[in-house]
Each structure stands twice: as structure tokens, then as C-alpha cells.
Amino acid sequence: MADALEVMEMRFRQMAADNGTSHEMFLMVTEKFDAASEAGSIFIRGGDCGQVLDHYRKIVAANAERLSAGR
């Protein structure tokens, strides 16, 4: 949860400083839909909440790395 909040903070700081690209803003919205869809797929395949959280952690870690590189 803390990692997700950190990524949100990075994105909001970019927007506030007018440094956020339209591509990043598009990603911010579309990745939520993609992640929710994948979570549903995990459950349909018999997965559990732990697998969904692992999936989200990978997404958040990738976002944090990408956003940190752009600082």
C-alpha cells in the first residue's frame, strides 16, 4: 500500500509542477482498468487474493522505477 501511495504522490507532483506528460496521465488511468481486468482473470483461473496482490506489487514497482528515473 505504501508503494502505491508513493507512486500516486510522484504522479501528482508531476502534474502539480506541470511536468506530467499526456502519456503518463493516460497510463495512470488505463493501467487501473488493465490491472482490474487481470485481477478478475486471476480469480477466474482459481487464484487467490495473494496472487492478485503480487500482481499489483509488480505493477507498482515498475511504475515507481519508471517515475523515479524521470526525476
Side-chain angles (χ1 to χ4, degrees), residues 6-22:
E6 180 182 345
V7 167
M8 289 171 56
E9 179 188 359
M10 283 188 244
R11 284 178 163 157
F12 287 136
R13 284 183 186 273
Q14 284 181 348
M15 285 189 283
D18 202 26
N19 292 333
T21 65
S22 59

Side-chain angles (χ1 to χ4, degrees), residues 9 23 27-28 31 34 37 41 43-44 52-53 63 68:
E9 179 188 359
H23 177 69
L27 280 177
M28 185 168 54
E31 73 185 7
D34 293 344
S37 176
S41 295
F43 286 129
I44 288 170
V52 171
L53 288 175
N63 285 340
S68 293

Side-chain angles (χ1 to χ4, degrees), residues 51-64:
Q51 290 170 312
V52 171
L53 288 175
D54 288 343
H55 176 68
Y56 276 103
R57 283 185 188 111
K58 290 176 187 172
I59 293 169
V60 170
N63 285 340

